[in-house]
Amino acid sequence: MRGFMKKLGSMQQQHKSLATHINMAQALTQRTSSATFRRQLEHEQSLLANGGETALLGSGGAIDACADFVEEMIGKAEPLPRVLRLLCLMSLVGNGLKQRQLDFFRTELLQTYGYELGFTLDRLESAGLLRRSEARSSW
């Protein structure tokens, strides 16, 4: 009986740890099984796998598909960090965004999430995470 009573404290701690672990696993499963999460993951992987090549070739396949998805996310008012993460990744992989495209996303983001976001966008631009593509000369 004494042995069991000595182990009881550690067993209770193990039970709490197990409950915490199970709750975290359920939360992760719920988040990663959503269709939006999977689509975003596909776009991120596509950008990283062949985004740079498409940007250099000018076809823009992965980048254009990602831009459409970002526009859809903004329209649905998805969580801002997810939208900004994908937009910055698109900018970095594609060697910047076209001026017109960057202005469009800036306008859409400000209208959807509020004008306070302007400071965040400016900081992302100054950090180099969100930038305009450099105009290439015809030489």
Side-chain angles (χ1 to χ4, degrees), residues 124-136:
L124 288 172
E125 284 185 29
S126 66
L129 296 173
L130 190 61
R131 62 189 181 99
R132 291 167 179 66
S133 61
E134 300 297 322
R136 297 188 179 148

Side-chain angles (χ1 to χ4, degrees), residues 36 40 68-87 104-121 124 130:
T36 305
Q40 182 169 359
D68 293 340
F69 183 64
V70 169
E71 184 178 349
E72 181 182 323
M73 288 176 72
I74 294 170
K76 290 181 179 179
E78 293 284 338
L80 183 61
R82 293 175 57 199
V83 174
L84 291 178
R85 181 177 64 221
L86 196 53
L87 190 61
F104 170 76
F105 282 130
R106 177 179 278 276
T107 303
E108 290 295 313
L109 285 166
L110 292 175
Q111 287 178 352
T112 302
Y113 296 99
Y115 288 95
E116 307 85 31
L117 182 62
F119 297 115
T120 303
L121 294 174
L124 288 172
L130 190 61

Side-chain angles (χ1 to χ4, degrees), residues 97-105 131-133:
L97 299 173
K98 297 175 187 171
Q99 176 70 43
R100 204 168 94 179
Q101 194 175 38
L102 185 60
D103 291 341
F104 170 76
F105 282 130
R131 62 189 181 99
R132 291 167 179 66
S133 61

